[in-house]
Amino acid sequence: MTDTLQDLIASAAALIVGLAAGWAVHSAVGRHKRAREQRFFGLPDGSECVLVTHRDSTTAHWSIPRHDALALLGLASVVENCGAHAEVAPHDTGLQGVGARTEFCVGDPTAHRRLAAHLASLLPGVTVHPGDESGADRGTFTIAGTHYRPEPGAVEHVLLARLTAGDDS
């Protein structure tokens, strides 16, 4: 065998080993990332979750406000990436109690009854102001005495809470 042929075979073998090692590392990193997301969101493979939203008060029939629909699409992507299944439900329907399955509440807590109930019972230090007759201060969060006022189109605030139950509760 000539030196050139040996070099070619060694290079091909090194390339194959390198590709296999790269694929294995990439796959392991992807599995680790997915497992981390599944643990954070409480969505193991094949699990069920519910995306709860309120009805748009500006329409007579059941529809979802545009920004909430965009948030639901993003959450649906997260649920799909975790290998789980989602159900979309309106806030005023009879749903199982808290903790039976992962639940994402999306929307304005002044109009979203289930979200308002969760805030009152699970995060008692948080207050969301419904505003006055003119709508001033609507959606202002008060947390530990600090007010977070929205400025539509300029400043918006989001409350993100991850609540989990322990083994004994």
Side-chain angles (χ1 to χ4, degrees), residues 21-37 39:
W23 175 79
V25 168
H26 180 72
S27 295
V29 168
R31 282 191 306 273
H32 177 71
K33 180 183 174 198
R34 181 177 176 168
R36 229 175 88 211
E37 281 185 359
R39 280 192 311 273

Side-chain angles (χ1 to χ4, degrees), residues 34-51 75-86 101-104 162:
R34 181 177 176 168
R36 229 175 88 211
E37 281 185 359
Q38 287 176 324
R39 280 192 311 273
F40 179 79
F41 289 110
L43 295 171
D45 279 325
S47 64
E48 299 287 330
C49 72
V50 62
L51 307 174
L75 283 171
S77 175
V78 167
V79 170
E80 182 72 23
N81 287 341
C82 288
H85 309 286
R101 57 185 170 169
T102 300
E103 180 176 318
F104 297 94
R162 179 178 182 256

Side-chain angles (χ1 to χ4, degrees), residues 8 108 131 159 166:
L8 186 59
D108 178 3
L159 180 64

